[in-house]
Amino acid sequence: LLTLIDPRAALRLPPAPRGGKAVIARLGGQAVAIAVDEVHDVIYLRSEDMQPPPAMLRERCGAEVCGTAPYAGRIITVVDLSALVAREDWIVDQHV
C-alpha cells in the first residue's frame, strides 16, 4: 500500500486534471507517491544556490516552500517534501 499525496491543495494551487502522473519519493524510511504534472529533470541543488523564497510566494503557498533556485535560465520553487508530508491536516491516525 502506497500513500499518494497531491500537494496542489496544500500549496494553494488550482487542482490538476484527473489521470495525472506520480513520482515515488523516499522520505526517511517511508515511500510516498506524489502527484505531479510532469517531471522535466532531476537536479541536486547546492545550498549556496538556494535563495530564501519571496515573502509573497511563502504567503501564497505556505511554509513548505523553503526557497528558490536558478535552473535553466529560470527560477524554480523548492518545496520541503518532508514538511509537506508532515502537515498535521494530512496525518491519518485511524485504527482499522
Side-chain angles (χ1 to χ4, degrees):
L1 184 61
L2 189 62
T3 302
L4 172 66
I5 62 169
D6 183 352
R8 287 179 163 274
L11 298 172
R12 298 180 193 103
L13 297 171
R18 294 225 180 249
K21 302 171 187 159
V23 296
I24 298 175
R26 284 220 171 268
L27 302 173
Q30 183 178 0
V32 176
I34 302 166
V36 297
D37 294 336
E38 195 170 336
V39 176
H40 294 279
D41 201 354
V42 175
I43 61 171
Y44 296 91
L45 295 173
R46 299 177 309 191
S47 58
E48 57 265 19
D49 292 335
M50 294 275 292
Q51 298 293 321
M56 187 171 92
L57 178 64
R58 186 164 262 197
E59 285 174 23
R60 178 173 182 242
C61 295
E64 293 82 14
V65 172
C66 60
T68 60
Y71 173 71
R74 301 173 71 185
I75 299 295
I76 60 172
T77 301
V78 181
V79 176
D80 182 346
L81 290 178
S82 295
L84 191 64
V85 172
R87 286 175 56 107
E88 191 171 306
D89 54 328
W90 282 12
I91 296 174
V92 177
D93 188 14
Q94 295 179 336
H95 299 282
V96 179

